[in-house]
Amino acid sequence: MLLAHSIATLQTKLTERELSVTELLEDSLTQIKTTDQELGAFITIDENGARAQALKVQQKIDNHEPIGLLAGIPIGVKDLLSTKDVRTTCGSKMLENFIPIYDAHVVQLLKKADAVIVGKTNMDEFAMGSSTEHSAFFPTRNPWDKSRVPGGSSGGSAAAVGANQVVASLGSDTGGSIRQPASFCGLVGLKPTYGLVSRFGLVAFASSLDQIGPFTHSVEDAAYLLQAIAGHDPHDSTSYTGEVPNYINSLQEPPKKLTIALPRELFTKCIDKELKQTVQTALEKINNLNNVIIEEVSMPHLKYAMATYYLLAPAEASANLARFDGIRYGVNTKAASLQELYQKNRSLFGPEVKRRIMIGTHALSSGHYDDYYLQAQKARTVIREEFLTTFKQYDLIVSPTTPTTAFKLGEINDPLTMYLNDICSIPANLAGLPALSLPCGLANKLPVGLQLIGPAFGEQLLLRAAYQFEQLFIQDNLFCQEWCKQC
């Protein structure tokens, strides 16, 4: 299948005229039409816009003009990134018919790189969920086993790549919403350092935690996507102003020496036994490399990360979603009073969104602010400092990406149990650090992700290490046979 090839391979085929951009796009659209009724990866398909873009890129190739880094590559975009003249719903009835008048910064950069944006992928409503069962429209299913979830909230983006509907996709990660679906679907998922990628045009869940990043089949393709979307944006005051290194050119240079910390607090009792064994086997293979040393460490404050996150994230969500009142944003409904207007509009939120708004509002309320929100901010600072201390001695930190493999749709009804899916991924968001999920094997015949966490703006080292480990897993057949079946 064409869409299972790497970005570099596809671009070689395009520039050498073995393949046209239109043919590649039509392959993508055909795959979506064939599989998506069952998968539910996309909310909106922009066939006309994609075909127009494909013709523009093909014309550049035919005229021997310079082409962008992602020229002709079909890409899916999570449906909370603003796309000019293309519906952006955030997986919610609140924005079911919202048509933005501008592109998010990352969408602008994808177009500048000559990518072909095929459509908008399904998601948990306003990015609140870990299974993509909380979309207001329909759930998304896992390409490996359609009775199971693809993870969330970026489950549509993960499923689209996992099912070879597109070559790559963009998601957002607030507490693990890229890495957890990547782990469940056997993909590489990268959450960059907070600020490295502009959030302009991202409909916010929790502004101090959200970050945009790629889903791909390989570390090399993740480097291509990150290269295209990273860098300063004057519209985002938190945007990184430093120079962005060349992630692609340095990718195949193994680090001379890597010391990796293995926090025992991220190997908790809730980690599935078979998954834990798969991760330990992968770590043994890595530890046998000449340039790698893995040491177990203690990071005792990580045990507070889950509680800290579920005070801070809902608090920011309650503030961000306050604008959806039917006057400034949201559905303009007829009402006899202001109270009725608010009630009608707020009833459009789904149960998970309402739950988090209530938690956040309570944490910020008078009499509780100091007890909850302020204490959580202090805990966040301590967690971040613990990471900084660890990175003075170690280059990277490693853990499982998730405590379990993909669970079945409808299997988890308890919100607290659902929240535990992010127990390993949340700490990196609280500290604003880059983290990557890499397929490392199978447990229960389903993919398992290995999480690598790097120091702030350490994506170059993170990608180089992940690339080396990826080659090891493929060579040692830990994942390759089943991975190839999906392709």
Side-chain angles (χ1 to χ4, degrees):
M1 177 175 284
L2 282 174
L3 295 161
H5 289 298
S6 70
I7 291 173
T9 299
L10 288 172
Q11 288 204 325
T12 299
K13 290 179 179 292
L14 290 171
T15 54
E16 293 182 356
R17 308 298 198 281
E18 294 179 27
L19 177 70
S20 74
V21 179
T22 300
E23 287 172 337
L24 185 57
L25 171 61
E26 292 304 324
D27 194 45
S28 172
L29 293 174
T30 299
Q31 180 71 353
I32 292 169
K33 289 173 183 176
T34 302
T35 62
D36 208 51
Q37 189 171 356
E38 189 175 10
L39 278 180
F42 281 89
I43 292 177
T44 302
I45 306 295
D46 183 23
E47 289 192 35
N48 293 336
R51 287 191 173 112
Q53 174 71 353
L55 288 173
K56 287 181 183 177
V57 177
Q58 187 61 53
Q59 192 172 30
K60 279 188 174 184
I61 294 172
D62 292 342
N63 294 336
H64 302 284
E65 297 175 22
I67 58 173
L69 189 63
L70 302 174
I73 303 300
I75 288 177
V77 173
K78 188 175 180 178
D79 204 23
L80 50 48
L81 292 169
S82 178
T83 44
K84 185 178 180 181
D85 299 329
V86 179
R87 188 170 68 135
T88 300
T89 72
C90 290
S92 176
K93 293 290 184 181
M94 184 70 76
L95 293 173
E96 186 172 9
N97 299 308
F98 173 54
I99 308 294
I101 60 172
Y102 70 96
D103 283 329
H105 184 69
V106 290
V107 174
Q108 294 173 16
L109 291 176
L110 288 179
K111 290 179 177 179
K112 184 179 179 182
D114 291 327
V116 177
I117 299 175
V118 176
K120 309 297 289 293
T121 57
N122 197 19
M123 56 181 284
D124 286 304
E125 185 179 10
F126 284 101
M128 299 182 195
S130 300
S131 64
T132 316
E133 293 173 288
H134 297 294
S135 169
F137 304 110
F138 45 80
T140 301
R141 297 175 181 272
N142 193 314
W144 281 74
D145 179 347
K146 296 178 183 65
S147 70
R148 298 179 183 272
V149 304
S153 62
S154 307
S157 292
V161 178
N164 293 313
Q165 295 177 339
V166 290
V167 176
S169 66
L170 291 185
S172 68
D173 191 312
T174 308
S177 289
I178 291 174
R179 289 160 288 154
Q180 187 244 24
S183 178
F184 280 8
C185 294
L187 302 171
V188 174
L190 172 63
K191 182 202 85 70
T193 304
Y194 183 80
L196 181 63
V197 177
S198 169
R199 292 178 297 109
F200 178 73
L202 167 76
V203 180
F205 164 15
S207 303
S208 74
L209 299 164
D210 297 337
Q211 188 60 177
I212 301 162
F215 289 94
T216 58
H217 282 297
S218 68
V219 175
E220 181 184 48
D221 282 2
Y224 269 84
L225 265 291
L226 183 62
Q227 197 74 58
I229 64 174
H232 181 63
D233 173 18
H235 292 103
D236 181 353
S237 62
T238 63
S239 178
Y240 178 60
T241 56
E243 184 179 348
V244 175
N246 192 314
Y247 301 116
I248 301 167
N249 287 354
S250 62
L251 194 63
Q252 297 183 26
E253 302 171 13
K256 291 182 179 179
K257 183 181 179 182
L258 276 176
T259 54
I260 302 177
L262 178 65
R264 61 178 66 97
E265 288 78 10
L266 294 182
F267 275 83
T268 64
K269 293 179 181 178
C270 66
I271 303 292
D272 174 80
K273 185 177 180 180
E274 190 171 336
L275 182 147
K276 188 174 184 178
Q277 182 59 54
T278 300
V279 170
Q280 287 174 335
T281 299
L283 291 176
E284 287 171 8
K285 298 289 184 183
I286 293 171
N287 203 32
N288 286 335
L289 293 170
N290 292 331
N291 65 324
V292 177
I293 297 173
I294 299 177
E295 295 179 351
E296 187 175 294
V297 300
S298 178
M299 297 179 68
H301 295 101
L302 292 186
K303 64 185 177 183
Y304 302 116
M306 182 71 83
T308 301
Y309 175 87
Y310 278 103
L311 284 171
L312 296 180
E316 293 187 27
S318 72
N320 280 324
L321 298 186
R323 70 193 70 180
F324 294 98
D325 53 13
I327 300 170
R328 295 167 294 175
Y329 299 93
V331 179
N332 189 359
T333 56
K334 293 182 180 180
S337 66
L338 184 62
Q339 182 174 342
E340 184 184 352
L341 177 68
Y342 271 84
Q343 287 175 335
K344 283 185 174 181
N345 272 274
R346 290 291 166 137
S347 67
L348 294 173
F349 286 133
E352 184 58 34
V353 175
K354 290 177 181 176
R355 182 181 295 116
R356 298 200 193 194
I357 289 174
M358 292 297 290
I359 293 170
T361 302
H362 180 74
L364 293 172
S365 62
S366 176
H368 296 291
Y369 181 93
D370 289 350
D371 294 334
Y372 296 121
Y373 183 74
L374 188 59
Q375 291 299 319
Q377 288 288 25
K378 291 178 179 178
R380 180 181 188 172
T381 300
V382 172
I383 291 167
R384 178 172 173 78
E385 288 175 350
E386 190 165 66
F387 271 109
L388 294 175
T389 300
T390 303
F391 281 123
K392 288 179 180 177
Q393 293 180 281
Y394 298 92
D395 300 307
L396 298 172
I397 294 171
V398 69
S399 78
T401 304
T402 59
T404 68
T405 52
F407 49 89
K408 292 191 174 183
L409 278 85
E411 182 179 343
I412 299 179
N413 296 312
D414 173 30
L416 292 178
T417 303
M418 185 70 79
Y419 296 164
L420 284 172
N421 273 281
D422 297 329
I423 193 168
C424 297
S425 54
I426 278 173
N429 294 82
L430 291 173
L433 300 174
L436 180 147
S437 180
L438 177 70
C440 70
L442 299 171
N444 310 309
K445 298 182 180 180
L446 293 166
V448 173
L450 181 72
Q451 178 177 231
L452 300 173
I453 304 172
F457 304 106
E459 279 81 359
Q460 191 170 30
L461 175 64
L462 188 66
L463 288 164
R464 287 169 64 197
Y467 182 84
Q468 183 185 19
F469 302 160
E470 179 183 57
Q471 307 312 306
L472 176 68
F473 297 152
I474 291 172
Q475 290 169 9
D476 286 354
N477 207 29
L478 288 179
F479 189 70
C480 190
Q481 284 187 350
E482 292 298 325
W483 192 4
C484 290
K485 287 178 186 177
Q486 297 303 308
C487 297

